[in-house]
Amino acid sequence: MRTRPVFLSLLGGLLAVALSAGAAVAGEADAASLARRNAESATRGGALDPGAGALAAPMGKAYVDGARRPVAGASGLPAGVLAPDGGGGYVWVGTAAPVPAPSEEHAAAREIRLQIREMAAQLFERGTTGLGGGVALPASFVNQDDMDSSSAFGRYIAEQMFYELNQLGIPVREYRTMPSVLTRPEQGEFVITRDMAKAARPRPAGLALSGTYYFDKHNVFVNARLFNTKDGLVLRTANMVFPQTPVTRAMLTKGGGMRLRAAQTEVRSLADMKDDTSLQFMLQQNTLH
């Protein structure tokens, strides 16, 4: 996940606290000791206005109302806030046990979701002006080099777009529904299908949301477009690019056509291989299915 400067507004007297390793003494993480240490530090360094703006940055520094303040890291500490107690001290409101840091894989997955949200915001930054009140039909994003194939990554973008457009107030139609609920013993009840012989066909008129993706060893590039299904006129566009992660590599290799096309490529020797993003990339994947 990329590191970005974050603007923090400390409102309502609630002050987020990052305790340094030196201030965190084992067995002393109770409300009274935290309030005491906070009062002592305020006396030494001057009181911090609870409404002050703070700009946090990497490399162990932050700026509070334009003044540079040191930032110390700490691990294995409970997370929470200090709230004024009305008598000059503070009350610790937080967890009783340290909060584990999220895994790298989880952070990478959340980043994909945020990238898709950014792309939806690009598509509808002007609202629905010029769209004629049309209903959007999100479809799988396809491989730029082979528009007859997609992957788990391309299908996930479409699924996430159902949510993002709905949150933006854009009408969305689920066009893969069956005329009736299909019940399968010991499996469940099904109402969505990709078998178009079973699905109720959508009306051809409307707005389709789809796009393409391209990837190499280091990056993933995605281009989205909203267009009219009647004449193919493109109404809105969006794009994003982000670094490859184990999550994106796994999604791109699941259900994609890359493996079959590469397997059909005639290779006389590895020395003849010129495309570093084909065979070499495949050999470095975490999961091949």
Side-chain angles (χ1 to χ4, degrees), residues 1-134:
M1 179 181 294
R2 298 187 304 276
T3 301
R4 305 182 180 92
V6 180
F7 181 77
L8 304 175
S9 182
L10 309 180
L11 299 175
L14 292 180
L15 179 60
V17 177
L19 297 177
S20 67
V25 180
E28 257 194 276
D30 59 275
S33 62
L34 290 169
R36 184 177 65 256
R37 287 204 298 271
N38 181 78
E40 292 173 353
S41 62
T43 301
R44 291 192 302 269
L48 175 63
D49 179 6
L55 179 64
M59 306 303 293
K61 61 183 179 181
Y63 292 89
V64 181
D65 282 348
R68 180 172 174 173
R69 302 290 182 93
V71 175
S75 59
L77 295 173
V81 296
L82 285 175
D85 62 1
Y90 289 84
V91 177
W92 175 255
V93 182
T95 60
V99 177
S103 67
E104 181 179 349
E105 291 77 11
H106 179 69
R110 291 177 60 88
E111 180 69 10
I112 295 174
R113 189 187 69 168
L114 293 175
Q115 290 281 1
I116 297 174
R117 177 168 299 176
E118 178 181 336
M119 190 162 57
Q122 290 180 29
L123 286 168
F124 294 97
E125 62 182 353
R126 292 175 293 167
T128 57
T129 303
L131 300 181

Side-chain angles (χ1 to χ4, degrees), residues 89-225:
Y90 289 84
V91 177
W92 175 255
V93 182
T95 60
V99 177
S103 67
E104 181 179 349
E105 291 77 11
H106 179 69
R110 291 177 60 88
E111 180 69 10
I112 295 174
R113 189 187 69 168
L114 293 175
Q115 290 281 1
I116 297 174
R117 177 168 299 176
E118 178 181 336
M119 190 162 57
Q122 290 180 29
L123 286 168
F124 294 97
E125 62 182 353
R126 292 175 293 167
T128 57
T129 303
L131 300 181
V135 178
L137 286 76
S140 300
F141 281 50
V142 298
N143 191 321
Q144 177 179 295
D145 293 335
D146 183 0
M147 293 192 178
D148 290 328
S149 69
S150 185
S151 63
F153 178 77
R155 291 186 289 273
Y156 173 74
I157 296 178
E159 292 297 322
Q160 186 65 22
M161 279 296 183
F162 274 92
Y163 171 80
E164 298 297 345
L165 268 58
N166 181 264
Q167 293 297 107
L168 291 172
I170 309 299
V172 186
R173 175 178 292 120
E174 176 54 81
Y175 52 90
R176 300 164 297 183
T177 58
M178 293 183 285
S180 59
V181 177
L182 175 63
T183 300
R184 294 175 181 169
E186 300 182 2
Q187 293 188 28
E189 294 71 43
F190 301 85
V191 73
I192 300 178
T193 179
R194 282 199 168 94
D195 186 348
M196 297 311 295
K198 299 178 181 178
R201 297 296 180 90
R203 291 175 294 179
L207 303 176
L209 172 59
S210 188
T212 62
Y213 61 84
Y214 171 79
F215 63 96
D216 58 22
K217 179 180 178 181
H218 303 288
N219 302 285
V220 181
F221 307 83
V222 182
N223 286 278
R225 56 188 63 92

